[in-house]
Amino acid sequence: MSLYLVSTPIGNLEDITLRALRVLKEVDLIACEDTRHTRKLLDHFGIRKPVISYHEHNEQARAAELAGRLAQGESIAIVTDAGTPGISDPAYRIVRAAIEHGVEVVPIPGPAALIAGLVASGLPTDSFYFGGFLPPRKGARRTRLDELRSERSTLVFYESPHRIREALSDAEEVLGDREASLARELTKLHEQFLRGCLSEIRARLDVQSPRGEMTLVIAGCGDDNLYATEQISLTAQVDKLMDDEGLTRSDALKAVARSRGLSKREAYQKLLEEKADENIDEKKTD
Ligand code: SAM
């Protein structure tokens, strides 16, 4: 008795693994989100197996039922409409129930849009934050983005075509105009990557109306963003660059000016203003 979490293609049927096919042929039952959708996949590979539906709305009840069947010795595969079960898709509850019943849980790895979108984004992959779908309502979406403002890892989200423009403009306003990549229709005939700043990607979607499945990857908070978002003073930013990177005061000022879109002269002027403000504050507290 085992519960197999079987990843299936996110578009291109060649992406199914040999192991996934073997497991789907061997299990007693396949639990899937949409039986019609999964039957097409099974038919394509000549697999005939009983299927049962398992989705967000009946997940709780089905989890108990499936855990019972697993405990009686059946082996069951979970598949979703596309990609890896449990990734912005149901599976979590049945996995918990299976573990509670002492059933072995076996992942069968394969496609996941977030990984395909991330690795081809051109943004750092050493550390990333996967946020699933952003909230559909503007207020909640902006709050969520705001919570991620100083996250240094690359950010990855799933998004629907009819909300992508709003999501891009909220991200730009809340996070700043960061580098990003929008992966469309991964592994499919019309696979496309829109790379550039958030504002550039949004401008391209104004011309070419957004269609298909989308994964949005946004640069994490770099030092520049961090200074801008946490609003640390220019003086502190210059000092930090001198300490952390051993720059001279003049080079640090030049770098800070660049990161804030100022000329060196403007940055120097701002530095003097901050000093003057500090002196006033000190006098007040004397
Ligand atoms: N479990 C899936 C996985 O492992 O990637 C994700 C399921 S989630 C319900 C569906 C969302 O994933 C889509 O709305 C889209 O944001 C993203 N997605 C799925 N397939 C994709 C593809 N071929 N290209 C780009 N994004 C995709």
Side-chain angles (χ1 to χ4, degrees):
M1 61 170 185
S2 296
L3 175 72
Y4 296 94
L5 302 169
V6 181
S7 300
T8 57
I10 55 170
N12 191 324
L13 291 180
E14 286 178 0
D15 289 337
I16 192 122
T17 68
L18 296 174
R19 191 171 172 220
L21 290 176
R22 180 178 58 74
V23 167
L24 291 174
K25 281 180 193 150
E26 286 176 3
V27 289
D28 299 305
L29 177 69
I30 299 173
C32 48
E33 275 188 278
D34 177 338
T35 51
R36 270 187 308 176
H37 185 97
T38 297
R39 270 197 208 286
K40 277 191 205 149
L41 178 84
L42 298 177
D43 285 349
H44 181 87
F45 291 107
I47 299 171
R48 281 186 214 303
K49 279 286 156 183
V51 293
I52 186 171
S53 78
Y54 172 77
H55 45 73
E56 285 187 76
H57 308 293
N58 69 1
E59 199 176 342
Q60 196 79 49
R62 274 286 200 258
E65 181 189 338
L66 294 177
R69 291 177 71 158
L70 284 161
Q72 281 166 11
E74 286 191 35
S75 56
I76 300 178
I78 298 270
V79 301
T80 57
D81 286 352
T84 301
I87 301 298
S88 293
D89 266 341
Y92 165 75
R93 288 198 174 85
I94 171 74
V95 170
R96 297 278 305 183
I99 293 169
E100 276 161 22
H101 281 73
V103 171
E104 185 188 30
V105 176
V106 185
I108 310 293
L114 80 103
I115 299 296
L118 170 69
V119 294
S121 68
L123 293 166
T125 53
D126 53 340
S127 159
F128 66 90
Y129 173 95
F130 174 56
F133 286 95
L134 281 165
R137 286 179 189 278
K138 194 175 182 69
R141 182 166 58 229
R142 291 174 74 109
T143 305
R144 186 81 201 87
L145 287 165
D146 195 50
E147 288 162 2
L148 296 170
R149 267 200 311 165
S150 37
E151 174 58 59
R152 286 184 168 269
S153 306
T154 299
L155 309 172
V156 187
F157 301 102
Y158 287 157
E159 195 45 275
S160 81
H162 62 273
R163 274 199 298 266
I164 188 69
R165 281 208 195 90
E166 290 157 278
L168 287 166
S169 62
D170 285 343
E172 183 190 337
E173 273 177 46
V174 177
L175 304 175
D177 199 7
R178 296 190 191 175
E179 215 183 318
S181 167
L182 183 66
R184 280 189 54 238
E185 299 283 84
L186 284 159
T187 79
K188 300 185 197 174
L189 188 61
H190 298 292
E191 178 177 272
Q192 184 190 34
F193 293 91
L194 300 181
R195 300 187 183 91
C197 292
L198 288 163
S199 60
E200 288 166 354
I201 296 175
R202 194 167 42 83
R204 285 180 68 181
L205 291 182
D206 287 340
V207 179
Q208 165 203 331
S209 74
R211 256 184 277 152
E213 299 201 274
M214 309 190 156
T215 296
L216 176 63
V217 186
I218 305 177
C221 180
D223 283 345
D224 295 359
N225 304 121
L226 196 63
Y227 296 133
T229 55
E230 290 186 352
Q231 297 187 333
I232 78 167
S233 71
L234 198 141
T235 316
Q237 191 182 351
V238 169
D239 289 346
K240 189 167 183 337
L241 276 181
M242 289 168 66
D243 288 347
D244 291 357
E245 295 179 26
L247 298 188
T248 62
R249 184 167 291 278
S250 164
D251 284 346
L253 187 64
K254 220 187 279 176
V256 168
R258 209 179 315 120
S259 79
R260 295 182 178 222
L262 303 173
S263 69
K264 195 174 167 195
R265 179 193 284 270
E266 286 166 334
Y268 184 65
Q269 189 57 40
K270 209 164 166 25
L271 199 75
L272 293 179
E273 284 165 17
E274 282 182 7
K275 283 256 176 310
D277 287 347
E278 252 172 52
N279 288 341
I280 292 170
D281 285 347
E282 269 167 27
K283 281 210 178 104
K284 272 191 202 149
T285 52
D286 278 350

